């Protein structure tokens, strides 16, 4: 069975409860009178969960503490079918924490407490070499710009070197640009790291939201030209993706929404999972992009990053996608 290594950070999540009622594992009363539900979340962890639900063998690579919250995370990931054998446990450390507030349109604002989180040490541990050497045993290594932002420069260099070694043995590197400015010291550092990731990646998943924040004022063509990877999925502001493969660029449109948007959290994370799962199942890139749009369109109709398991679409549903070739 094809396997994926997802690398990144999962944090404790505090979210405004719907209608003032708890929707998570526990709830706390805020000073403003609102209830907050507690759960767990992280971009690459969300992708790992959706990959597991799509019957892809996936391990999550991260560091956690030896506390009760970290124990809960491990138990929850195992229950979802996400492998935890590559999770390093650090005595005395804790996971990071973030809080989400939503506006009337379902758009979210994040507040983070993560500077001393265990995951930030993953590239500088006694176990790091063994972890990085394991990357060559996977078919795909998937990580995001958020993943790269939590490591220091020497840590990123170690990670890129390990990915390059793994690619020599046939592992494919999938990079999701998921850009959050607060995670970087400045945009110039972010641009340098993005350029290194673009050069190493076999598949890049990106969006106008991410790239225009780094390269303001550039056209779609200019933004895509910055990415040399052979396979590029460029999600636009509207529910459309431009898919570039050798020799052609295709426009892939999502089906019209039939339900209201509740929460856009994990739209990109779930798109990535469905795209990767479809490609591993043998689908062509256009079909994989349509699968990504279908799952993302479903996920944003529910609160939170992970929708109920019973709401997942039927397994192995990869039908031909509607697309339009726009260049050759």
């Amino acid at each position: 069975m094809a396997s994926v290594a997802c690398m990144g950070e999962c944090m404790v999540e505090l979210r405004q409860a719907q209608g003032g009622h708890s929707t998570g594992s526990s709830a706390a009363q805020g000073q403003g009178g609102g209830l907050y539900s507690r759960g767990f979340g992280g971009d690459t962890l969300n992708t790992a969960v959706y990959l597991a639900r799509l019957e892809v063998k996936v391990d999550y690579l991260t560091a956690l503490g030896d506390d009760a919250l970290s124990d809960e995370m491990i138990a929850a990931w195992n229950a979802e079918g996400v492998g935890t054998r590559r999770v390093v446990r650090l005595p005395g450390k804790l996971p990071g924490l973030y809080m989400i507030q939503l506006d009337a349109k379902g758009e979210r604002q994040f507040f983070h407490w993560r500077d001393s989180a265990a995951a930030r040490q993953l590239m500088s541990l006694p176990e790091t070499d063994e972890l990085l050497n394991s990357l060559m045993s996977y078919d795909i290594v998937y990580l995001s710009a958020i993943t790269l932002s939590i490591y220091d420069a020497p840590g990123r260099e170690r990670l890129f070197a390990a990915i390059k070694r793994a690619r020599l043995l046939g592992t494919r590197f999938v990079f999701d640009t998921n850009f959050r400015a607060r995670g970087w010291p400045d945009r110039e550092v972010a641009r340098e790291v993005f350029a290194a990731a673009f050069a190493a990646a076999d598949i890049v998943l990106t969006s106008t939201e991410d790239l225009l924040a780094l390269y303001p004022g550039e056209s779609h063509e200019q933004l895509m030209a910055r990415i040399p990877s052979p396979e590029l999925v460029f999600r636009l502001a509207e529910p459309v993706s431009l898919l570039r493969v050798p020799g052609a660029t295709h426009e892939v449109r999502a089906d019209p929404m039939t339900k209201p948007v509740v929460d856009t959290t994990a739209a990109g994370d779930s798109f990535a999972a469905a795209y990767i799962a479809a490609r591993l199942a043998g689908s062509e890139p256009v079909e994989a992009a349509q699968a990504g749009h279908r799952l993302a369109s479903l996920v944003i109709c529910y609160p939170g990053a992970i929708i109920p398991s019973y709401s997942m679409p039927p397994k192995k549903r990869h039908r031909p996608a509607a697309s339009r070739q726009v260049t050759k």
Side-chain angles (χ1 to χ4, degrees):
M1 178 186 291
S3 59
V4 178
C6 288
M7 180 177 291
E9 179 182 19
C10 182
M11 292 178 284
V12 178
E13 175 189 276
L14 295 180
R15 170 183 295 273
Q16 288 176 312
Q18 297 292 314
H21 300 289
S22 172
T23 59
S25 56
S26 63
Q29 188 78 24
Q31 289 185 349
L35 285 173
Y36 285 82
S37 62
R38 176 172 64 78
F40 307 116
D43 63 337
T44 55
L45 186 277
N46 299 334
T47 299
V49 169
Y50 285 115
L51 281 168
R53 290 185 176 185
L54 294 169
E55 299 186 333
V56 174
K57 184 179 179 182
V58 56
D59 286 336
Y60 197 58
L61 282 60
T62 192
L64 290 175
D66 58 353
D67 58 292
L69 290 172
S70 296
D71 290 341
E72 286 184 25
M73 288 186 187
I74 292 287
W77 303 347
N78 285 329
E80 285 283 1
V82 175
T84 57
R85 58 182 175 146
R86 308 291 188 195
V87 177
V88 181
R89 305 296 296 271
L90 303 181
K93 299 297 290 184
L94 293 168
L97 169 71
Y98 70 99
M99 183 173 68
I100 300 176
Q101 290 184 330
L102 299 175
D103 64 20
K105 296 181 179 179
E107 294 298 330
R108 61 225 188 270
Q109 184 177 10
F110 292 84
F111 304 88
H112 289 82
W113 296 265
R114 68 195 301 191
D115 289 347
S116 60
R120 302 180 76 89
Q121 298 184 18
L122 190 62
M123 291 297 109
S124 58
L125 299 171
E127 300 90 344
T128 300
D129 284 341
E130 180 181 357
L131 184 82
L132 292 178
N133 286 336
S134 76
L135 297 182
M136 64 184 67
S137 67
Y138 294 92
D139 295 283
I140 284 178
V141 172
Y142 170 82
L143 56 84
S144 72
I146 293 178
T147 306
L148 296 175
S149 73
I150 68 174
Y151 308 137
D152 60 16
R156 288 192 289 263
E157 290 179 6
R158 291 183 74 180
L159 176 56
F160 280 135
I163 288 172
K164 290 176 182 178
R165 293 194 300 270
R167 291 180 72 233
L168 292 175
L169 297 177
T171 298
R172 286 183 289 173
F173 172 37
V174 180
F175 176 56
D176 192 323
T177 57
N178 208 0
F179 175 68
R180 299 292 181 269
R182 62 183 167 271
W184 299 92
D186 58 60
R187 278 175 167 74
E188 189 55 40
V189 171
R191 293 184 189 106
E192 292 175 1
V193 175
F194 270 55
F198 291 155
D202 298 280
I203 301 173
V204 170
L205 306 175
T206 191
S207 68
T208 52
E209 179 183 5
D210 290 339
L211 293 189
L212 285 175
L214 278 177
Y215 312 105
E218 293 195 1
S219 67
H220 294 164
E221 292 76 14
Q222 289 172 315
L223 294 172
M224 294 174 71
R226 289 182 173 277
I227 304 173
S229 63
E231 189 168 325
L232 168 63
V233 184
F234 184 42
R235 300 187 304 275
L236 306 184
E238 61 268 31
V240 178
S241 291
L242 297 179
L243 172 64
R244 190 188 69 202
V245 294
T249 297
H250 302 272
E251 182 183 273
V252 183
R253 291 188 170 271
D255 293 333
M257 293 289 296
T258 58
K259 296 180 180 179
V261 174
V262 174
D263 182 354
T264 59
T265 303
D269 308 335
S270 56
F271 182 103
Y275 188 89
I276 292 169
R279 293 292 282 130
L280 287 173
S283 296
E284 293 298 320
V286 167
E287 187 179 353
Q290 189 67 19
H293 280 302
R294 283 199 301 272
L295 183 55
S297 296
L298 177 63
V299 167
I300 62 177
C301 296
Y302 291 83
I306 306 298
I307 65 176
S309 58
Y310 58 77
S311 301
M312 289 291 293
K315 293 181 173 62
K316 300 186 183 302
R317 180 172 172 254
H318 301 307
R319 61 177 173 79
S323 71
R324 179 170 64 90
Q325 184 169 318
V326 293
T327 62
K328 287 189 176 181

